[in-house]
Amino acid sequence: MTEVDELLARLRKLPPVALDPEFEGALRTRARRHLQRRVRPAPFASLALADTAVLYLGWALHFASALYR
Amino acid sequence: MPATPDQEALMLLERGDIRGFDLAYARYAQPVFGFLVRLSGSRALAEDLFQHTFMRLAEAGPRLRVDSNLRAWLFTVARNAFHSHARAQKVEARADRELSMIQPVIGVGPESNLALAELERALSALGESDRELLLLFGVEGLSHAELAEVLALDPVTVRKRVSRARARLAEALDEDGRVVSKSEVSE
């Protein structure tokens, strides 16, 4: 083994650095919340939005057809 | 062929499953944090950058391709966060690092502790670019290809730079593994 390789082997032995558990807990909670919020579908909100759009389009159609009556 | 743990984490993240985040965190939190502490020389700054890195995973993880190199991606985000901060603050990470902040997680004998502390000193006294290379390649064990991805360089250049950084670290230590005083170190 060369001097350089021994040096590399010693670098690999440097100990890991401990994370503060409190900091870690807060970060994981924040990240989890973010991830859940981002991907979880909101069925009630989506349905309400779709219903509103359909109602509006129906009303617009009805209004437009009334103009030509 | 069964999926690797990284692919599994990415598949779960793609579906928005928080277990994907937990899996990636369990595998890479410690190495990324160690890298940031040793690179920045400040535990407080490392915590900020670490938080940024893993929040990026929560944000961008679902969009990552399943065949992405998760480890290289995380180290790239961490490294970029550090350099953005350094540019914004116009501060170079200092050579006289807070060595006491590096508390080993695993137990090592007193003799090894001394030798490793000297190695930490020598590493922290290197230029930022050399230190970054040796932390990623030497301490964290990234391959030349991964290193090339993280640093956005071609692998041949990466090999040369790693070799030069290793040589400079070797120069900074004497035969007993102690840090050579600055006046003794040739440029």
Side-chain angles (χ1 to χ4, degrees):
Chain A
M1 192 184 262
T2 66
E3 186 199 341
V4 175
D5 291 331
E6 281 170 21
L7 195 56
L8 189 62
R10 284 173 58 202
L11 278 175
R12 296 251 157 99
K13 284 184 195 160
L14 284 178
V17 184
L19 275 150
D20 174 41
E22 206 174 309
F23 164 79
E24 220 179 356
L27 169 63
R28 291 179 82 154
T29 307
R30 226 183 112 202
R32 280 161 163 255
R33 205 178 296 144
H34 182 91
L35 192 62
Q36 283 173 318
R37 192 173 55 223
R38 189 186 172 282
V39 293
R40 181 185 286 169
F44 295 114
S46 303
L47 284 174
L49 190 68
D51 284 354
T52 309
V54 168
L55 280 172
Y56 174 76
L57 286 173
W59 172 83
L61 193 65
H62 175 77
F63 182 79
S65 62
L67 285 177
Y68 296 100
R69 227 176 266 157
Chain B
M1 200 165 65
T4 64
D6 282 7
Q7 286 171 337
E8 198 184 327
L10 288 166
M11 280 190 280
L12 289 166
L13 275 168
E14 197 178 36
R15 295 201 296 266
D17 190 327
I18 53 172
R19 285 175 301 171
F21 180 87
D22 288 342
L23 186 54
Y25 191 91
R27 284 174 67 75
Y28 297 118
Q30 200 96 74
V32 169
F33 187 61
F35 167 68
L36 287 169
V37 169
R38 289 187 170 107
L39 183 63
S40 69
S42 157
R43 194 181 174 95
L45 175 57
E47 283 186 350
D48 284 350
L49 302 174
F50 176 82
Q51 182 161 279
H52 168 88
T53 304
F54 277 89
M55 284 309 291
R56 280 289 298 145
L57 178 66
E59 286 160 18
R63 295 192 303 273
L64 286 177
R65 286 165 50 119
V66 172
D67 60 354
S68 303
N69 185 328
L70 183 57
R71 178 162 78 152
W73 186 86
L74 284 167
F75 277 110
T76 305
V77 174
R79 176 185 179 265
N80 290 346
F82 170 74
H83 286 292
S84 298
H85 173 86
R87 270 196 302 275
Q89 301 294 308
K90 295 194 174 166
V91 288
E92 172 104 353
R94 295 167 62 86
D96 52 340
R97 345 258 326 148
E98 305 166 27
L99 283 177
S100 56
M101 74 201 166
I102 300 173
Q103 294 155 349
V105 169
I106 49 169
V108 283
E111 269 183 61
S112 316
N113 255 344
L114 256 178
L116 292 178
E118 286 292 294
L119 189 59
E120 293 269 20
R121 272 185 64 202
L123 195 58
S124 66
L126 288 176
E128 193 180 286
S129 158
D130 286 346
R131 190 165 67 250
E132 177 179 79
L133 280 163
L134 292 174
L135 285 173
L136 292 168
F137 183 75
V139 182
E140 303 306 339
L142 267 71
S143 66
H144 284 110
E146 284 177 309
L147 208 48
E149 192 179 332
V150 172
L151 304 175
L153 292 169
D154 70 276
V156 177
T157 309
V158 163
R159 274 178 194 277
K160 282 182 191 163
R161 288 197 186 177
V162 166
S163 172
R164 280 201 295 263
R166 285 159 88 177
R168 277 193 276 263
L169 180 63
E171 265 178 37
L173 293 163
D174 67 15
E175 285 176 0
D176 299 325
R178 293 187 180 278
V179 176
V180 178
S181 65
K182 280 187 179 173
S183 57
E184 294 173 61
V185 179
S186 57
E187 286 302 307

